[in-house]
Amino acid sequence: MSLHAFVDESRRNNTYLLAAVLVDPGDLTRTRKALRRLLFPGQRELHFKKEKTDRRKLIVSRLVSIGATVHVYTGNCSAGEEVARQECLIALVNDLVDLDTRRLVLDSREERNLHDAQTIRATLGKRPSHSKIIYEHLESTHDELLWIPDIVAWCHGAGGDWARRVRSLVVKETAVDKWSR
């Protein structure tokens, strides 16, 4: 099964969270349509940080009913946010290779996308050449599936009731600590 992965991040205090939703190609259209139905008229994207509490609860409830498979990677930002991101990205890419993922879409961070591209190339370079992952950065307004990791990372990072609300979506959590290896 060739999966597609869509990735976004969140930060809570000194913890960096990288979330990846894994979607079977046969579910891409259905899931995008379900997400578009959550938009208000004129709204271009769901960005969880900007939503009010009651709306957040509704969105999470609908997201859980849609169903999703999300992996969350956490890293410590004590050496810097970019270091934490790249460590999380290395763990993610290694997992995606093992899962036979074909497409990786990351929420664009403009000029910082270069860091991701370098990390992905270096990580894939260590794997057998049969890896067929293609990757790209997109703005979250260009693909609704980038909204899922935004929502899950935000909720997971918030902890408490918010983390409980998305718990059924998070099938894997990996704490990445460069200095513990």
Side-chain angles (χ1 to χ4, degrees):
M1 172 172 49
S2 63
L3 296 170
H4 292 222
F6 299 84
V7 177
D8 199 6
E9 82 286 331
S10 184
R11 181 174 175 172
R12 293 292 174 140
N13 301 315
N14 210 29
T15 301
Y16 190 87
L17 299 102
L18 191 72
V21 62
L22 305 176
V23 183
D24 182 272
D27 293 332
L28 293 168
T29 301
R30 175 189 61 83
T31 307
R32 285 182 178 116
K33 284 181 182 177
L35 290 164
R36 275 194 302 274
R37 285 194 288 270
L38 293 172
L39 295 174
F40 285 132
Q43 189 177 16
R44 296 183 62 215
E45 69 176 320
L46 291 178
H47 196 272
F48 213 61
K49 188 165 85 171
K50 298 176 183 175
E51 301 290 347
K52 295 185 175 166
T53 300
D54 288 342
R55 175 111 166 102
R56 285 179 181 157
K57 289 177 181 178
L58 172 71
I59 290 168
V60 169
S61 174
R62 297 268 174 84
L63 183 59
V64 168
S65 71
I66 291 168
T69 299
V70 180
H71 292 199
V72 176
Y73 300 82
T74 59
N76 186 301
C77 294
S78 59
E81 182 175 298
E82 195 62 40
V83 171
R85 178 185 176 88
Q86 299 313 313
E87 287 295 314
C88 290
L89 189 56
I90 290 167
L92 168 65
V93 169
N94 283 320
D95 285 349
L96 295 179
V97 169
D98 292 341
L99 293 168
D100 197 29
T101 305
R102 296 292 182 228
R103 183 171 180 232
L104 169 59
V105 179
L106 300 106
D107 190 32
S108 179
R109 300 179 312 139
E110 298 172 2
E111 67 278 349
R112 292 178 296 168
N113 292 346
L114 179 62
H115 298 291
D116 293 347
Q118 291 169 336
T119 296
I120 293 167
R121 280 194 306 273
T123 304
L124 291 176
K126 296 175 185 175
R127 301 303 296 248
S129 60
H130 68 271
S131 168
K132 298 195 177 23
I133 294 178
I134 59 166
Y135 59 91
E136 63 184 320
H137 288 85
L138 292 176
E139 297 291 330
S140 58
T141 55
H142 291 110
D143 198 320
E144 297 87 351
L145 293 168
L146 288 167
W147 305 345
I148 296 173
D150 172 71
I151 294 164
V152 173
W154 188 96
C155 290
H156 193 78
D161 186 52
W162 289 110
R164 180 197 60 77
R165 290 173 182 270
V166 297
R167 188 171 296 131
S168 65
L169 303 175
V170 178
V171 299
K172 181 175 184 176
E173 183 176 354
T174 303
V176 177
D177 184 1
K178 180 180 182 176
W179 297 275
S180 68
R181 292 186 228 169

